[in-house]
């Protein structure tokens, strides 16, 4: 689906650490592409879990830029629906998950939810979000603070973050 005129760029973080994370993330990119035009996909990172119950496996994380005309709340609902189709069940905050799709930035929108907070409230603090975003657009600035992804990544704790593959969407 190509994005119609008036569409905006949305940056979406992808993560998974249960089941078949790589295959799930590949599937998720295809699902998100139905919501607009995927303009870029980051490298794939392995990251240690942050917060949540102990004993979780490492995550695979990536990000993508989607040009879409869906309003932010509709886009978030569509992302949650994709998570549910992948088998995600929301029981405990920051628990291990089959798929996590977070709307990080939508154009220059600032919203102080609920149900939606834009930009994502913790994105500029988390290397597992910032590194993939930096692959796509290091100059992307938080619409709320103006801080760029590159600047935030430079000060972020990158321990437990490893680039796994630059090109990971297709089977090798």
């Amino acid at each position: 689906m190509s994005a119609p005129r008036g569409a905006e760029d949305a940056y979406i973080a992808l993560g998974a650490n249960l089941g078949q994370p790589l295959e799930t993330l590949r599937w998720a990119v295809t699902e998100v592409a139905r919501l607009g035009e995927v303009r870029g996909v980051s490298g794939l990172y392995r990251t240690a879990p942050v917060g949540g119950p102990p004993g979780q496996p490492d995550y695979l994380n990536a990000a993508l830029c989607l040009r879409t005309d869906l309003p932010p709340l509709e886009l978030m609902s569509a992302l949650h629906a994709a998570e549910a189709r992948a088998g995600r069940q929301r029981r405990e905050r920051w628990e291990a998950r089959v798929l996590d799709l977070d709307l990080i930035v939508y154009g220059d929108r600032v919203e102080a939810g609920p149900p939606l907070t834009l930009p994502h409230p913790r994105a500029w603090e988390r290397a597992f979000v910032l590194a993939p975003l930096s692959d796509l657009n290091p100059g992307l600035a938080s619409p709320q603070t103006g801080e760029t992804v590159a600047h935030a990544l430079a000060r972020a704790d990158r321990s437990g973050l490893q680039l796994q593959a630059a090109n990971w969407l297709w089977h090798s």
Side-chain angles (χ1 to χ4, degrees):
M1 164 185 207
S2 54
R5 295 175 203 258
E8 294 192 64
D9 286 342
Y11 288 85
I12 298 164
L14 300 84
N17 72 339
L18 293 178
Q20 301 287 327
L22 178 58
E23 293 307 316
T24 301
L25 294 180
R26 287 175 171 155
W27 174 86
V29 171
T30 302
E31 287 296 297
V32 173
R34 298 171 195 245
L35 306 174
E37 174 192 355
V38 174
R39 299 184 60 141
V41 179
S42 74
L44 183 70
Y45 292 81
R46 178 172 300 280
T47 61
V50 175
Q56 292 187 50
D58 286 351
Y59 278 84
L60 290 182
N61 291 100
L64 63 78
C65 177
L66 179 74
R67 190 111 169 116
T68 185
D69 68 338
L70 286 176
L73 197 52
E74 285 183 40
L75 177 57
M76 186 180 75
S77 293
L79 296 175
H80 286 174
E83 290 175 343
R85 286 192 303 278
R88 177 165 180 188
Q89 298 175 354
R90 294 175 181 268
R91 294 179 299 248
E92 184 178 348
R93 189 172 192 189
W94 296 328
E95 69 184 339
R97 58 202 72 161
V98 171
L99 179 62
D100 188 29
L101 299 173
D102 286 330
L103 181 55
I104 304 300
V105 172
Y106 187 102
D108 61 359
R109 307 257 180 121
V110 175
E111 297 190 23
L116 176 63
T117 301
L118 287 172
H120 189 284
R122 291 168 299 282
W124 262 251
E125 303 166 3
R126 295 178 166 173
F128 67 85
V129 174
L130 293 166
L133 286 178
S134 183
D135 289 353
L136 297 170
N137 186 352
L140 177 67
S142 166
Q144 190 170 39
T145 67
E147 183 179 29
T148 66
V149 165
H151 184 265
L153 182 58
R155 67 173 170 72
D157 176 5
R158 292 188 236 183
S159 59
L161 175 73
Q162 300 172 341
L163 178 63
Q164 295 295 289
N167 298 309
W168 56 274
L169 282 178
W170 316 117
H171 297 282
S172 36

mmCIF file of all heavy atoms in Angstrom, residues 93-94 119-126 129-130:
data_model
loop_
_atom_site.group_PDB
_atom_site.id
_atom_site.type_symbol
_atom_site.label_atom_id
_atom_site.label_comp_id
_atom_site.label_asym_id
_atom_site.label_seq_id
_atom_site.Cartn_x
_atom_site.Cartn_y
_atom_site.Cartn_z
ATOM 1 N N ARG A 93 3.334 -5.691 33.039
ATOM 2 C CA ARG A 93 4.159 -4.654 32.420
ATOM 3 C C ARG A 93 5.593 -5.155 32.235
ATOM 4 O O ARG A 93 6.170 -5.751 33.127
ATOM 5 C CB ARG A 93 4.149 -3.409 33.292
ATOM 6 C CG ARG A 93 4.794 -2.231 32.609
ATOM 7 C CD ARG A 93 4.592 -0.985 33.417
ATOM 8 N NE ARG A 93 4.965 0.157 32.604
ATOM 9 C CZ ARG A 93 5.070 1.374 33.059
ATOM 10 N NH1 ARG A 93 4.818 1.633 34.321
ATOM 11 N NH2 ARG A 93 5.419 2.352 32.272
ATOM 12 N N TRP A 94 6.123 -4.907 31.048
ATOM 13 C CA TRP A 94 7.505 -5.224 30.690
ATOM 14 C C TRP A 94 7.808 -6.717 30.750
ATOM 15 O O TRP A 94 8.957 -7.116 30.924
ATOM 16 C CB TRP A 94 8.499 -4.423 31.516
ATOM 17 C CG TRP A 94 8.405 -2.948 31.282
ATOM 18 C CD1 TRP A 94 8.066 -2.326 30.114
ATOM 19 C CD2 TRP A 94 8.642 -1.914 32.217
ATOM 20 N NE1 TRP A 94 8.079 -0.971 30.274
ATOM 21 C CE2 TRP A 94 8.436 -0.685 31.572
ATOM 22 C CE3 TRP A 94 9.013 -1.897 33.549
ATOM 23 C CZ2 TRP A 94 8.581 0.527 32.199
ATOM 24 C CZ3 TRP A 94 9.164 -0.686 34.173
ATOM 25 C CH2 TRP A 94 8.960 0.513 33.513
ATOM 26 N N PRO A 119 5.939 12.226 21.826
ATOM 27 C CA PRO A 119 6.644 10.992 21.468
ATOM 28 C C PRO A 119 6.585 9.993 22.621
ATOM 29 O O PRO A 119 6.234 10.347 23.735
ATOM 30 C CB PRO A 119 8.075 11.461 21.212
ATOM 31 C CG PRO A 119 8.211 12.721 22.004
ATOM 32 C CD PRO A 119 6.858 13.348 22.027
ATOM 33 N N HIS A 120 6.951 8.748 22.314
ATOM 34 C CA HIS A 120 6.940 7.705 23.348
ATOM 35 C C HIS A 120 7.736 8.213 24.552
ATOM 36 O O HIS A 120 8.845 8.713 24.396
ATOM 37 C CB HIS A 120 7.564 6.430 22.791
ATOM 38 C CG HIS A 120 7.403 5.256 23.688
ATOM 39 N ND1 HIS A 120 8.159 5.098 24.839
ATOM 40 C CD2 HIS A 120 6.588 4.185 23.628
ATOM 41 C CE1 HIS A 120 7.808 3.967 25.434
ATOM 42 N NE2 HIS A 120 6.857 3.402 24.716
ATOM 43 N N PRO A 121 7.185 8.108 25.754
ATOM 44 C CA PRO A 121 7.781 8.773 26.916
ATOM 45 C C PRO A 121 9.176 8.310 27.331
ATOM 46 O O PRO A 121 9.907 9.063 27.953
ATOM 47 C CB PRO A 121 6.771 8.517 28.036
ATOM 48 C CG PRO A 121 5.937 7.379 27.588
ATOM 49 C CD PRO A 121 5.944 7.405 26.083
ATOM 50 N N ARG A 122 9.573 7.084 26.992
ATOM 51 C CA ARG A 122 10.889 6.596 27.419
ATOM 52 C C ARG A 122 11.846 6.355 26.253
ATOM 53 O O ARG A 122 12.966 5.915 26.456
ATOM 54 C CB ARG A 122 10.725 5.316 28.246
ATOM 55 C CG ARG A 122 10.069 5.578 29.599
ATOM 56 C CD ARG A 122 9.637 4.311 30.296
ATOM 57 N NE ARG A 122 8.650 3.533 29.556
ATOM 58 C CZ ARG A 122 7.348 3.802 29.477
ATOM 59 N NH1 ARG A 122 6.850 4.842 30.110
ATOM 60 N NH2 ARG A 122 6.528 3.040 28.789
ATOM 61 N N ALA A 123 11.439 6.666 25.040
ATOM 62 C CA ALA A 123 12.243 6.331 23.859
ATOM 63 C C ALA A 123 13.610 6.984 23.879
ATOM 64 O O ALA A 123 14.607 6.346 23.525
ATOM 65 C CB ALA A 123 11.494 6.717 22.588
ATOM 66 N N TRP A 124 13.708 8.235 24.289
ATOM 67 C CA TRP A 124 14.976 8.966 24.240
ATOM 68 C C TRP A 124 15.913 8.578 25.385
ATOM 69 O O TRP A 124 16.981 9.129 25.517
ATOM 70 C CB TRP A 124 14.717 10.472 24.198
ATOM 71 C CG TRP A 124 14.777 11.012 22.790
ATOM 72 C CD1 TRP A 124 15.775 11.807 22.301
ATOM 73 C CD2 TRP A 124 13.873 10.806 21.715
ATOM 74 N NE1 TRP A 124 15.524 12.088 20.978
ATOM 75 C CE2 TRP A 124 14.365 11.485 20.588
ATOM 76 C CE3 TRP A 124 12.688 10.085 21.566
ATOM 77 C CZ2 TRP A 124 13.731 11.506 19.353
ATOM 78 C CZ3 TRP A 124 12.042 10.090 20.336
ATOM 79 C CH2 TRP A 124 12.566 10.786 19.254
ATOM 80 N N GLU A 125 15.516 7.569 26.177
ATOM 81 C CA GLU A 125 16.348 7.065 27.270
ATOM 82 C C GLU A 125 16.874 5.664 26.995
ATOM 83 O O GLU A 125 17.720 5.169 27.742
ATOM 84 C CB GLU A 125 15.525 6.997 28.569
ATOM 85 C CG GLU A 125 14.915 8.307 28.984
ATOM 86 C CD GLU A 125 13.842 8.130 30.053
ATOM 87 O OE1 GLU A 125 13.607 6.983 30.518
ATOM 88 O OE2 GLU A 125 13.224 9.136 30.409
ATOM 89 N N ARG A 126 16.367 4.992 25.980
ATOM 90 C CA ARG A 126 16.614 3.569 25.791
ATOM 91 C C ARG A 126 17.439 3.281 24.550
ATOM 92 O O ARG A 126 16.978 3.488 23.422
ATOM 93 C CB ARG A 126 15.277 2.832 25.700
ATOM 94 C CG ARG A 126 14.509 2.917 26.993
ATOM 95 C CD ARG A 126 13.191 2.243 26.878
ATOM 96 N NE ARG A 126 12.602 2.039 28.188
ATOM 97 C CZ ARG A 126 11.379 1.592 28.367
ATOM 98 N NH1 ARG A 126 10.619 1.298 27.343
ATOM 99 N NH2 ARG A 126 10.913 1.426 29.600
ATOM 100 N N VAL A 129 15.953 1.306 21.645
ATOM 101 C CA VAL A 129 15.096 2.058 20.725
ATOM 102 C C VAL A 129 15.955 3.017 19.898
ATOM 103 O O VAL A 129 15.785 3.143 18.682
ATOM 104 C CB VAL A 129 14.004 2.846 21.494
ATOM 105 C CG1 VAL A 129 13.208 3.745 20.561
ATOM 106 C CG2 VAL A 129 13.077 1.894 22.239
ATOM 107 N N LEU A 130 16.876 3.703 20.554
ATOM 108 C CA LEU A 130 17.677 4.741 19.899
ATOM 109 C C LEU A 130 18.617 4.195 18.822
ATOM 110 O O LEU A 130 18.767 4.813 17.761
ATOM 111 C CB LEU A 130 18.476 5.511 20.946
ATOM 112 C CG LEU A 130 17.641 6.342 21.917
ATOM 113 C CD1 LEU A 130 18.478 6.777 23.115
ATOM 114 C CD2 LEU A 130 17.025 7.541 21.207
#
